[in-house]
Amino acid sequence: MTLVLRFGDVRLYDHDLETVAPGEWVGDVIIEFYYEYLERAAFPQLAKQVQFVQPAVACLLSNAPDAGMLAGALPPDLGSKQAVFLPVNDSTGLEPGGSHWSLLCFYKPTHTCYYYDSLGSSNLPHAQRTARALDAVLGHDSPSAFVQIDTPVQVNGFDCGVYVMVITHILCSRFASRGFDVADKPGDLSGWRLLHNVPHDLVARRRTEIRELILKMSQAQKAEAQRFADQRAGGVPRV
Amino acid sequence: MSDEKKDSLQHINIKVVAPDQSEVFFKIKRTTPLSKLMNAYCERQGKQRSSVRFMFDGARVEDHATPEQLEMEDGDAIDVMVEQVGGFWAVN
């Protein structure tokens, strides 16, 4: 295993990078990387209000017999976030695997979980479990509402993970432009609907862009390490 | 210094905790790269190294890291998470 990139807490290996190659099933570390990228680089202004939960932690939540016990594994200020993104996978978390990614976004102002699935209701039971676990962790008196949002259906057998990343990005852009003060009228889903925003070719392109972003950051990191090594080798010996 | 005491300074007991809460214990030198422990765990559990993530204090453990560098203490736990992938849901 060769380390490709260090970014925040993310450690991305060559094996992980392969999962974002054309036609491959996307692995959790790619989504973890992209979430870190959204938080640190793309939308740093949202960091106080938005929580990007990494897939490994979302998986723990979804499969925990008693989610209330998991509070320690989650960020201590989770309850103060206006929006929480959780990637949902159908794996049990006990053995490596899984077959489908979908996305859950809890929005505090409406006390609602909005659910996006590029294959209809494929992951619905897992997402509902995740929503209930989040209620338990946040100590909600009443369970959050659960709303399925019409999501474009993927046209191939491998892009669901990319849909999760694209849709998260779209919602972040909306949060960044409209803020969190706008109160949705009950039942008004206009801020959450997608259909025309996610053409298939955008999803395909985004997969390539994310892969290139990782490679570019990796190269920059290697160059930096090399420069540092050169400096030390050629510099004045330290006393 | 007794041999036993020297040994306890150099070595450390680390437990590796699986998602089902099962634990495997390792004794390792404080200066030994943790790749040794991670490889041994995978071999023992029959798992591919690339499909398993080892987490300590919320961050993924790198191969070359040593218990000393990560400031691990005797009895500390490393959590194991397994890889998740997704492409589609096949309807048979």
Side-chain angles (χ1 to χ4, degrees):
Chain A
M1 295 211 328
T2 310
L3 187 65
V4 173
L5 180 68
R6 285 193 186 96
F7 181 49
D9 279 341
V10 181
R11 299 290 177 271
L12 200 147
Y13 288 85
D14 48 356
H15 167 82
D16 304 315
L17 183 63
E18 281 167 27
T19 70
V20 75
E24 295 297 323
W25 284 22
V26 170
D28 56 316
V29 178
I30 297 298
I31 297 178
E32 186 186 345
F33 159 79
Y34 192 66
Y35 271 22
E36 191 90 0
Y37 170 78
L38 291 179
E39 183 182 328
R40 285 169 176 259
F43 298 100
Q45 73 274 32
L46 295 178
K48 275 208 177 96
Q49 293 124 323
V50 175
Q51 183 69 48
F52 300 93
V53 177
Q54 54 165 288
V57 175
C59 179
L60 267 182
L61 260 184
S62 165
N63 293 297
D66 180 2
M69 304 280 286
L70 284 175
L74 292 152
D77 56 348
L78 190 65
S80 68
K81 303 285 182 178
Q82 300 302 302
V84 181
F85 287 104
L86 298 131
V88 176
N89 192 283
D90 59 339
S91 79
T92 59
L94 293 176
E95 291 296 326
S99 64
H100 186 48
W101 290 110
S102 56
L103 174 67
L104 194 67
C105 177
F106 171 71
Y107 192 61
K108 195 177 174 185
T110 54
H111 197 58
T112 299
C113 283
Y114 299 92
Y115 179 58
Y116 300 87
D117 191 329
S118 58
L119 278 171
S121 302
S122 285
N123 268 1
L124 187 58
H126 304 277
Q128 284 168 331
R129 269 213 318 273
T130 307
R132 295 294 77 88
L134 190 68
D135 283 335
V137 166
L138 293 177
H140 289 158
D141 291 333
S142 61
S144 52
F146 190 99
V147 175
Q148 284 181 264
I149 304 291
D150 278 343
T151 307
V153 178
Q154 62 188 89
V155 290
N156 55 46
F158 46 79
D159 266 342
C160 54
V162 188
Y163 275 88
V164 166
M165 296 187 277
V166 168
I167 296 168
T168 305
H169 189 281
I170 290 171
L171 295 178
C172 285
S173 302
R174 291 185 190 169
F175 294 152
S177 63
R178 73 167 192 186
F180 299 89
D181 299 330
V182 190
D184 295 342
K185 291 193 197 90
D188 176 13
L189 296 177
S190 55
W192 299 94
R193 287 211 183 94
L194 282 180
L195 279 170
H196 303 293
N197 270 331
V198 196
H200 305 305
D201 55 337
L202 168 78
V203 175
R205 210 163 56 231
R206 190 60 61 82
R207 177 190 279 267
T208 314
E209 285 166 5
I210 291 169
R211 187 160 180 276
E212 283 167 359
L213 175 67
I214 294 168
L215 289 171
K216 205 172 100 189
M217 290 170 71
S218 168
Q219 275 159 10
Q221 206 158 72
K222 277 187 195 130
E224 179 66 26
Q226 188 59 49
R227 221 173 13 251
F228 184 69
D230 289 348
Q231 258 172 21
R232 292 198 62 167
V236 181
R238 289 194 298 175
V239 197
Chain B
M1 199 186 289
S2 71
D3 283 354
E4 205 177 308
K5 189 139 184 227
K6 225 187 262 171
D7 182 69
S8 75
L9 282 176
Q10 283 183 348
H11 289 84
I12 185 170
N13 294 291
I14 301 281
K15 63 179 172 187
V16 178
V17 184
D20 63 0
Q21 299 303 313
S22 63
E23 298 173 346
V24 180
F25 289 83
F26 290 91
K27 189 171 188 173
I28 182 172
K29 248 185 165 170
R30 289 176 195 271
T31 50
T32 300
L34 285 158
S35 56
K36 204 169 164 190
L37 176 154
M38 297 190 280
N39 289 335
Y41 180 85
C42 288
E43 210 161 291
R44 197 183 153 140
Q45 304 293 316
K47 287 203 163 71
Q48 274 201 339
R49 182 74 170 76
S50 57
S51 70
V52 180
R53 296 96 178 71
F54 294 87
M55 312 288 290
F56 182 68
D57 275 353
R60 198 164 167 185
V61 178
E62 292 180 38
D63 273 359
H64 57 79
T66 65
E68 196 172 62
Q69 286 165 355
L70 299 181
E71 297 178 0
M72 287 177 164
E73 287 170 16
D74 197 47
D76 271 353
I78 292 178
D79 290 307
V80 177
M81 310 261 194
V82 293
E83 174 183 42
Q84 302 173 74
V85 290
F88 77 135
W89 181 256
V91 182
N92 293 314

